[in-house]
């Protein structure tokens, strides 16, 4: 990694590098109790959001991951990407969040398709993992629609401001993603 940050485009979104110009939008998203209710961090202050933006931005520079800003119609509405990368085992952990104003529209699912393609085809992952709070029904639905399989529950896996919590472990394998992509392409060609 490192070098020129990759920009991914869909019909709906531009997935691009985060910058200091995004701090107000990011602070609004990460500071929202509604958005962070199911995240292990809890709401972030403006200063904590600045620090987190720096950490996420440095993933690319330090060859440790990548976090895209999800932009729709010129507005940053969320972020997504990979962290906790293990190059030897060719796997990474998926993370994402979306401004609650845009929930329920399938936006994150559509934004994650090119991200997962990038992970499997460019970063050469064989496995992508996601860890979510056990009561996060929205993320469970999102991951399931993308083809992830629930592997189990990691007990006391994440620390929150109120204590340790259990998280569900989901995974998607390259061969599963490839099969889904081939079936989707076949379906489109038969129309």
């Amino acid at each position: 990694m490192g070098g020129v940050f990759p920009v991914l485009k869909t019909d709906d979104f531009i997935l691009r590098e985060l910058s200091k110009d995004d701090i107000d939008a990011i602070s609004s998203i990460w500071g929202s109790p509604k958005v962070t209710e199911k995240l292990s961090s809890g709401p972030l202050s403006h200063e904590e959001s600045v620090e987190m933006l720096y950490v996420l931005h440095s993933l690319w520079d330090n060859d440790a991951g990548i976090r895209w800003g999800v932009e729709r119609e010129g507005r940053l509405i969320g972020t997504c990407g990979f962290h906790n990368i293990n190059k030897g085992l060719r796997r990474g952990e998926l993370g994402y969040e979306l401004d609650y104003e845009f929930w329920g529209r399938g936006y994150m699912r559509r934004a994650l398709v090119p991200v997962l393609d990038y992970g499997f085809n460019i970063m050469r992952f064989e496995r992508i993992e996601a860890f979510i709070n056990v009561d996060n029904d929205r993320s469970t639905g999102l991951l399931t629609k993308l083809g992830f399989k629930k592997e189990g529950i990691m007990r006391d896996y994440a620390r929150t401001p109120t204590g340790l919590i259990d998280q569900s472990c989901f995974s998607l394998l390259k061969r599963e993603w490839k099969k889904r992509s081939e079936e989707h392409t076949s379906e489109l060609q038969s129309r």
Side-chain angles (χ1 to χ4, degrees):
M1 288 178 285
V4 177
F5 192 95
V7 175
L8 308 177
K9 295 181 180 181
T10 72
D11 292 340
D12 300 318
F13 309 103
I14 297 172
L15 294 116
R16 58 158 177 86
E17 187 172 18
L18 293 163
S19 77
K20 64 180 190 262
D21 296 334
D22 295 318
I23 193 57
D24 289 337
I26 289 293
S27 185
S28 174
I29 296 167
W30 292 339
S32 166
K34 190 168 183 121
V35 171
T36 58
E37 175 184 22
K38 303 294 182 184
L39 302 178
S40 56
S41 65
L44 300 182
S45 69
H46 183 79
E47 293 76 23
E48 290 169 325
S49 294
V50 170
E51 290 174 29
M52 181 61 80
L53 182 62
Y54 174 78
V55 168
L56 294 179
H57 194 267
S58 70
L59 290 174
W60 179 255
D61 294 334
N62 294 321
D63 206 26
I66 185 169
R67 193 70 163 211
W68 285 275
V70 179
E71 184 179 305
R72 178 173 166 78
E73 299 175 350
R75 179 177 173 191
L76 187 76
I77 64 169
T79 77
C80 59
F82 301 110
H83 55 280
N84 290 338
I85 290 174
N86 184 319
K87 289 182 181 180
L89 296 174
R90 294 171 65 180
R91 69 177 179 225
E93 185 177 331
L94 179 68
Y96 51 85
E97 71 283 321
L98 185 67
D99 188 328
Y100 71 87
E101 181 182 334
F102 300 97
W103 288 3
R105 300 181 193 181
Y107 285 0
M108 189 53 74
R109 180 180 46 79
R110 294 195 312 267
L112 287 176
V113 168
V115 169
L116 294 171
D117 277 339
Y118 188 90
F120 286 124
N121 298 320
I122 305 301
M123 298 178 84
R124 300 181 46 212
F125 291 147
E126 292 294 331
R127 173 186 170 91
I128 295 174
E129 301 169 331
F131 297 91
I132 61 170
N133 294 0
V134 292
D135 63 346
N136 192 338
D137 296 332
R138 285 185 175 279
S139 274
T140 296
L142 168 65
L143 294 170
T144 302
K145 285 177 185 170
L146 288 166
F148 280 77
K149 306 282 187 263
K150 184 175 179 180
E151 293 187 335
I153 295 179
M154 312 292 282
R155 298 178 308 138
D156 284 354
Y157 193 71
R159 181 170 301 283
T160 70
T162 58
L164 295 171
I165 59 166
D166 296 347
Q167 288 197 316
S168 297
C169 173
F170 285 81
S171 70
L172 180 62
L173 305 179
K174 184 175 187 170
R175 66 178 179 267
E176 296 165 341
W177 184 251
K178 184 178 177 187
K179 183 178 179 191
R180 274 179 76 94
S181 297
E182 289 170 355
E183 289 170 356
H184 182 68
T185 301
S186 249
E187 179 185 312
L188 290 175
Q189 289 173 347
S190 68
R191 289 184 181 172

